[in-house]
Amino acid sequence: MRPSAVQPVSLRAAADSLAAAGLPGVEPARAADGEADIMLTGLTINSREVRAGDLYVALPGARHHGARFAASAAEAGAAAVLTDEEGARQLTELPVPVYVTSDPRRLVGPLAGVVFGSSPQGGSGLTLFGVTGTNGKTTTTYFINSLLSALGKRTGLIGTIEILAGGEPIASTLTTPESPQVHGLLALMREKGLDAAAMEVSSHAISYRRVDGVVFDVAGFTNLTQDHLDLHGSMEEYFAAKAALFSPERAQRAVICVDDEWGERMAAAAPVPVWTLATRDGGAEARWRVTDVVRDGLGHRFVLRGPDGAVLRAGTGLPGTFNVSNAALAAVMVLASGVEIEQLQNALDRSDPFTVEVPGRMQLVGEAPAAIVDFAHNPDALARTLESVRRESQGTGGSAPTGSGSGETPPRVIIVFGATGQRDQSKRPLMGDIAARLADVVIVTDDDPHDEDEAAIRADVLAGARAARERGALACEILEVAPRAAAIDRAVALARPQDTVLVAGRGHEVFQEVKGVNLALDDRVELRQALTRYGFPVLSGDGVES
């Protein structure tokens, strides 16, 4: 995640430039440390990633202070260590210079930007797009990447599923990597001569300063719904974390969906230039608005109408009207970057950039029954996904849908899902309630329980589902099946060719964390194997993976 060559940078000059910008100062921890300047060719906060010439930043952690690993960092070739007062007290005999600052975490991103040269003065032609929001970040960044490629641009991608530097895939374990990795990646992309890059920006990334020192040319906002309250505590704090992206320190301009109150508030509060976007009927006034949405196969065609009579016609082959919203946001963000609307329309007419497959996002594994894997793991995403997979001949709410009059048994929606352990517990019964109201067969199983008791998590989800069934006199069937592979098998065993099987919550993930152990588990693989086991056709791997 670094460029192959870095021009050495003086630690003193870098620190002085940041101090002049109002950031905390850097001083030698011992008098002798200040005698000679230190030249740096890299920066990391992980002692296991140290290379010769790096600045190792020793941060306080939840379990251990990073100073504990400074000796191994020095052995690996670190040129110097930067830490806080507590860390400096632990480093009295380190063989490399030690520097101290009041808030080292705040300096990591800006220093990494200077050391790696990821944001050179005057720019370098790499246009940066950042997308935040609760749902839709991944798909929107894929859409941006695909649209830019259709425009003839060489593109990069940083996100949940993968990191791409041109054609090079790099494994991704965080929605947004740590800030030294982000700056190293951006420098690598510039070194490779890429034209643009799209990045998912989670609330965790903003709160934990993983995008400090990065200024996006265009930042986009999808939506805000209940999630991550275990970190933020309340929706207001969650909103504030997202809103921090739309500041002059992090973005030059913004495109914000104003489909609900949170979006309207975000647009009103942003101190950067904002283009508003409305993707649903009614609601707030907006600079750009989605109209004329019509079904087209599994997906939809739609029209974007903008100022002065501007019109853009587009479509997406991915199911769900929420993917119309994602595609519209991607299109307007690219327009906001300076691409002319005629050029964009030509790219849309020549290719189909919004039908790019996104691993684990409405990913079709089989067609009879329709077998879909999706990442929906919070109440709003689960509701939207269930509504999008229900066929027109199906009823809703597990309430004995009517058929076409041919005497055939009507199609059903069968959902397999669970809830993540050690996360926001309040959303568990809400998700159970939604599943009972919008599916015909509800199979509650395990997601990633982490260190929490699996049965207790399932009980919370089941309570919400059973309460909804009783309250609404619903006809849905509710089952508890674990482990997850067995639940997927059960769903397919119950399915008929006209049904839809939705496996929700984990999407592209290939490991399930149970009591600190990562167990190999890929919902797509399990679903394919179950379909084959019961004699149903499976789509070829080439048509499923991206």
Side-chain angles (χ1 to χ4, degrees):
M1 295 191 183
R2 300 187 185 197
S4 61
V6 175
Q7 183 70 33
V9 174
S10 159
L11 171 59
R12 175 50 57 196
D16 287 348
S17 69
L18 297 182
L23 291 168
V26 173
E27 298 296 336
R30 300 182 292 266
D33 292 339
E35 292 179 356
D37 203 356
I38 305 298
M39 302 304 291
L40 305 173
T41 53
L43 182 148
T44 183
I45 61 175
N46 187 338
S47 63
R48 291 168 295 186
E49 297 177 356
V50 168
R51 298 184 189 179
D54 276 2
L55 174 66
Y56 171 59
V57 185
L59 301 174
R63 301 182 191 176
H64 306 291
H65 197 291
R68 177 174 179 176
F69 310 103
S72 61
E75 289 178 9
V81 173
L82 176 65
T83 188
D84 57 8
E85 293 284 357
E86 178 186 352
R89 284 193 290 271
Q90 301 178 36
L91 302 177
T92 57
E93 298 182 2
L94 204 65
V96 298
V98 177
Y99 288 79
V100 65
T101 184
S102 60
D103 190 355
R105 165 59 79 174
R106 192 176 172 194
L107 290 186
V108 171
L111 273 175
V114 173
V115 172
F116 287 116
S118 58
S119 302
Q121 290 292 328
S124 62
L126 182 67
T127 304
L128 292 181
F129 298 85
V131 181
T132 197
T134 305
N135 302 312
K137 294 186 297 294
T138 299
T139 301
T140 302
T141 56
Y142 269 78
F143 283 171
I144 291 171
N145 186 282
S146 180
L147 180 55
L148 291 169
S149 296
L151 287 163
K153 308 292 187 182
R154 294 191 64 206
T155 62
L157 182 72
I158 302 176
T160 304
I161 298 173
E162 61 186 346
I163 295 170
L164 298 173
E168 273 187 37
I170 302 170
S172 175
T173 57
L174 297 170
T175 301
T176 311
E178 290 287 356
S179 55
Q181 296 171 318
V182 169
H183 286 282
L185 281 165
L186 295 179
L188 175 64
M189 291 176 184
R190 286 191 164 91
E191 183 179 70
K192 288 178 173 291
L194 302 190
D195 301 301
M199 183 189 307
E200 292 181 54
V201 185
S202 67
S203 59
H204 289 69
I206 298 168
S207 298
Y208 295 150
R209 297 187 173 277
R210 292 177 188 155
V211 291
D212 278 14
V214 177
V215 180
F216 295 96
D217 293 271
V218 184
F221 175 76
T222 59
N223 51 62
L224 195 74
T225 62
Q226 182 176 337
D227 205 359
H228 304 305
L229 297 191
D230 52 302
L231 170 65
H232 300 292
S234 70
M235 288 297 293
E236 288 295 334
E237 291 182 19
Y238 186 25
F239 171 83
K242 296 289 190 185
L245 179 62
F246 305 101
S247 64
E249 295 77 23
R250 291 193 169 100
Q252 294 184 10
R253 62 191 68 87
V255 178
I256 296 177
C257 282
V258 290
D259 291 332
D260 57 23
E261 178 187 351
W262 293 113
E264 292 180 45
R265 285 181 56 186
M266 192 72 73
V272 299
V274 173
W275 286 13
T276 51
L277 167 66
T279 71
R280 301 181 191 173
D281 292 336
E285 291 296 320
R287 179 185 179 98
W288 286 90
R289 180 173 294 277
V290 171
T291 66
D292 306 284
V293 179
V294 295
R295 286 293 292 267
D296 183 16
L298 289 173
H300 297 82
R301 305 295 302 174
F302 63 94
V303 176
L304 266 168
R305 301 187 186 276
D308 301 321
V311 174
L312 191 72
R313 302 183 186 280
T316 173
L318 273 62
T321 55
F322 51 83
N323 277 317
V324 170
S325 300
N326 295 334
L329 178 58
V332 177
M333 287 181 67
V334 172
L335 285 172
S337 74
V339 173
E340 296 294 333
I341 191 168
E342 295 82 6
Q343 186 182 6
L344 193 61
Q345 186 67 71
N346 288 337
L348 291 168
D349 292 342
R350 288 194 313 267
S351 59
D352 192 12
F354 298 146
T355 305
V356 61
E357 287 187 325
V358 185
R361 270 63 174 176
M362 296 301 287
Q363 191 167 345
L364 195 64
V365 176
E367 293 181 309
I372 299 169
V373 172
D374 190 65
F375 192 56
H377 62 283
N378 57 57
D380 181 72
L382 194 66
R384 292 193 189 194
T385 301
L386 279 167
E387 289 166 351
S388 73
V389 301
R390 184 168 288 279
R391 304 177 189 181
E392 292 182 4
S393 60
Q394 292 172 301
T396 58
S399 55
T402 57
S404 61
S406 62
E408 293 182 0
T409 305
R412 302 169 300 168
V413 172
I414 303 170
I415 183 172
V416 177
F417 79 111
T420 309
Q422 296 181 296
R423 299 294 186 271
D424 178 11
Q425 296 184 13
S426 68
K427 69 182 182 181
R428 296 174 187 173
L430 297 177
M431 293 171 67
D433 177 289
I434 288 164
R437 288 188 288 106
L438 298 178
D440 303 287
V441 180
V442 177
I443 302 178
V444 176
T445 188
D446 301 327
D447 195 293
D448 281 321
H450 300 296
D451 291 330
E452 197 173 343
D453 179 65
E454 300 97 311
I457 300 171
R458 295 195 302 269
D460 289 343
V461 179
L462 286 162
R466 289 167 178 157
R469 180 174 63 180
E470 181 177 351
R471 184 173 60 252
L474 304 175
C476 64
E477 182 179 2
I478 300 173
L479 305 172
E480 179 182 10
V481 182
R484 192 174 180 94
I488 294 171
D489 181 272
R490 183 70 171 275
V492 177
L494 292 171
R496 302 155 306 182
Q498 68 268 34
D499 292 338
T500 297
V501 175
L502 171 65
V503 182
R506 303 186 69 252
H508 65 285
E509 295 173 356
V510 297
F511 292 101
Q512 182 183 45
E513 186 185 336
V514 182
K515 303 294 191 295
V517 178
N518 284 334
L519 305 177
L521 180 67
D522 187 325
D523 287 353
R524 298 163 295 181
V525 171
E526 297 296 336
L527 189 52
R528 288 191 198 105
Q529 291 177 347
L531 290 167
T532 301
R533 193 156 45 242
Y534 291 100
F536 294 121
V538 177
L539 293 178
S540 66
D542 291 341
V544 174
E545 304 295 346
S546 74

